[in-house]
Amino acid sequence: MKIWWWVQMCAGRGTCKPVLKGSRFHFSLMTNRICEMQKDRGIFEKLVQVGKYNVEKNGDDEKDCINGSAMNKENFKKYSEYIKKDYDMLKKKLRDAKENYFKGSYEEHLFDCIQNNDYKDLIIADVIYEKEKNVLCIGEGNLSFSTLIQKNLSSCKVVATSMENEKTLKKNFGNVFSKNLKILESHGGIYVPEINVETIYEQFPENTFDVIIFNFPFVLPSNDFIQSKWKIQIDKLMDDKTSYMKYYKKSEYFLLNKLFYWLFKNSSILLKHNGFLHVRVNDKYLTCDFSNTFSLSLVQKIDFSNSYMVYKSLRYIPSMMYNSSSFRNDSSSSSSNSNSKKNVMFTSHGKIFKTFKMAHTSTLIFQKGTPPPKDDHR
């Protein structure tokens, strides 16, 4: 049995089962229009702006090199060094002109994180992760995200969960998973396998976590599910690719909506008051149903793409971003293999090839117990 550092655990599963009454459900009109909202820049990009590092001169022209493809590895390294070197200056500059850079309750939180912490006690990317927080990472695959938080913020208490068992993830991710698990646990983190988002509230007491993270949730509808859900003969459907894809996508969104429902419901139970839920998603899923967020309110939508460079530098590997040889370090894999350049997602069903572009990704920030911001019609 796992031993939790920061709470007195109930003996056995299912002993902490708070009930959410219907009258406490929170409905936010803004969450229905997430796909229409403008994306804000991440805090790393904003600090680049504050320090005025993002302007390169080319003759008489000035170029905003934080935008788009200009945020490459070389530029990121330069910006990161500037922010680290000038951190105290940036803190003072923000104090003197706070209203020019930070607006809204969530950005007030980011301002406080910067003012109250040294640079070494933060991870600054799309959001800020700070020291001494209880963090729950849901749906981890290779454990790279939970590991980078625990390793770089050792005073945090990180719990990583996965739907699959440890044996399956070792098979899928090989040395990457095993190495990350060793690092996570050696720095004080905990890994708990076979945890479903639908029942995760049974594992922990209420109001335990400061932050809950779910990176790029996905579902894989089976043919049996498609057939039973929509009352159609799958054999006949397979002969018509267009019709099959229609029902597959319909099933995908049905299951994703169900997943988000349980994510919001159980995050409402497990988060502390004013705690945050970070959901990173492929933009095509922003049309999912976010109407019922229980006690959580959407406070910001952030462009994740440029901030990915921060996490990549800390060895974050999104499961769907790399091919199998990248995960397994399999030198025998041929570069000419037709699958070598495809994005691979390892699942309990085996390898699934899916289209995934980091350029079209968002970070959605929800906060517990905070009224939704006024609709600014962005």
Side-chain angles (χ1 to χ4, degrees):
M1 180 178 178
K2 299 289 184 181
I3 299 176
W4 313 103
W5 331 256
W6 70 97
V7 293
Q8 181 178 358
M9 287 299 293
C10 302
R13 293 181 60 178
T15 54
C16 299
K17 292 187 177 181
V19 177
L20 286 182
K21 298 180 180 179
S23 60
R24 295 178 62 189
F25 288 4
H26 171 70
F27 293 89
S28 171
L29 293 176
M30 182 172 287
T31 54
N32 278 329
R33 298 195 295 275
I34 289 179
C35 60
E36 302 172 6
M37 291 174 59
Q38 178 182 326
K39 293 184 184 182
D40 293 320
R41 289 186 173 188
I43 184 62
F44 181 90
E45 295 178 80
K46 288 189 176 184
L47 289 182
V48 170
Q49 287 183 304
V50 173
K52 299 187 183 300
Y53 309 128
N54 62 322
V55 175
E56 289 183 349
K57 291 188 176 181
N58 183 10
D60 294 330
D61 296 328
E62 290 187 347
K63 179 184 177 184
D64 182 358
C65 60
I66 198 72
N67 276 328
S69 60
M71 179 58 117
N72 54 34
K73 183 177 180 180
E74 181 180 347
N75 282 339
F76 161 72
K77 184 177 180 181
K78 177 180 65 176
Y79 300 145
S80 185
E81 289 173 351
Y82 286 157
I83 291 172
K84 182 178 181 179
K85 176 174 65 72
D86 297 339
Y87 186 68
D88 289 337
M89 178 273 289
L90 292 171
K91 289 173 71 169
K92 183 179 185 304
K93 194 169 184 179
L94 289 174
R95 282 197 304 270
D96 295 341
K98 174 183 175 182
E99 64 281 357
N100 294 336
Y101 302 107
F102 294 96
K103 297 177 175 64
S105 61
Y106 182 67
E107 293 194 346
E108 287 275 352
H109 164 74
L110 298 179
F111 174 83
D112 291 340
C113 287
I114 293 171
Q115 296 300 324
N116 297 333
N117 290 280
D118 295 330
Y119 179 84
K120 64 181 177 59
D121 295 323
L122 302 174
I123 296 174
I124 301 173
D126 50 342
V127 298
I128 290 179
Y129 294 108
E130 59 180 324
K131 64 179 181 179
E132 299 176 354
K133 299 298 181 182
N134 298 336
V135 180
L136 173 63
C137 295
I138 298 175
E140 285 281 85
N142 53 55
L143 301 182
S144 58
F145 200 86
S146 51
T147 296
L148 76 85
I149 294 178
Q150 188 66 80
K151 180 180 178 181
N152 290 279
L153 300 174
S154 58
S155 62
C156 282
K157 297 170 182 176
V158 178
V159 179
T161 70
S162 67
M163 189 173 70
E164 300 86 358
N165 60 41
E166 188 171 334
K167 182 179 179 181
T168 298
L169 293 180
K170 283 182 178 178
K171 178 181 178 182
N172 289 344
F173 298 104
N175 290 335
V176 173
F177 173 84
S178 300
K179 183 178 180 180
N180 284 334
L181 177 59
K182 184 176 181 180
I183 295 172
L184 176 70
E185 294 183 337
S186 67
H187 284 79
I190 282 181
Y191 166 58
V192 188
E194 298 183 277
I195 301 296
N196 193 302
V197 68
E198 189 170 334
T199 57
I200 195 169
Y201 73 93
E202 298 177 356
Q203 306 298 319
F204 313 99
E206 295 181 66
N207 309 316
T208 296
F209 296 100
D210 299 286
V211 183
I212 295 177
I213 303 164
F214 200 165
N215 289 333
F216 305 110
F218 67 93
V219 294
L220 297 169
S222 67
N223 286 341
D224 288 342
F225 176 84
I226 295 172
Q227 181 170 267
S228 61
K229 175 63 182 175
W230 310 114
K231 310 299 181 186
I232 54 176
Q233 291 296 320
I234 197 69
D235 292 339
K236 295 181 179 179
L237 196 61
M238 293 294 284
D239 295 332
D240 184 347
K241 185 177 180 180
T242 300
S243 295
Y244 177 79
M245 289 306 300
K246 172 186 174 182
Y247 280 99
Y248 182 89
K249 290 180 179 179
K250 190 176 180 180
S251 300
E252 183 181 27
Y253 277 82
F254 175 86
L255 292 173
L256 272 173
N257 287 336
K258 182 179 178 181
L259 182 151
F260 284 129
Y261 171 87
W262 287 108
L263 175 64
F264 289 125
K265 181 174 183 177
N266 291 327
S267 295
S268 295
I269 295 170
L270 297 177
L271 280 172
K272 297 178 181 178
H273 183 70
N274 289 331
F276 294 100
L277 169 65
H278 299 166
V279 185
R280 295 182 176 91
V281 294
N282 188 312
D283 286 348
K284 69 179 181 179
Y285 296 136
L286 293 177
T287 55
C288 284
D289 182 7
F290 293 97
S291 60
N292 190 354
T293 57
F294 293 81
S295 63
L296 306 179
S297 296
L298 177 69
V299 292
Q300 197 145 13
K301 174 185 175 183
I302 299 171
D303 187 342
F304 177 73
S305 57
N306 277 335
S307 299
Y308 168 60
M309 291 299 301
V310 180
Y311 298 117
K312 186 176 182 180
S313 72
L314 299 174
R315 300 184 180 277
Y316 171 47
I317 307 174
S319 298
M320 64 288 290
M321 282 293 293
Y322 294 86
N323 60 53
S324 56
S325 62
S326 298
F327 279 126
R328 300 165 185 266
N329 297 317
D330 185 359
S331 59
S332 64
S333 296
S334 171
S335 60
S336 62
N337 188 304
S338 61
N339 289 333
S340 63
K341 294 184 179 181
K342 291 184 178 180
N343 296 321
V344 176
M345 187 180 297
F346 289 104
T347 73
S348 56
H349 300 286
K351 292 191 294 185
I352 305 295
F353 296 91
K354 294 178 74 73
T355 300
F356 186 92
K357 293 184 179 180
M358 192 57 73
H360 305 297
T361 53
S362 299
T363 304
L364 305 179
I365 311 297
F366 297 86
Q367 187 172 19
K368 180 178 178 179
T370 299
K374 294 181 180 179
D375 190 352
D376 56 6
H377 303 290
R378 288 183 300 175

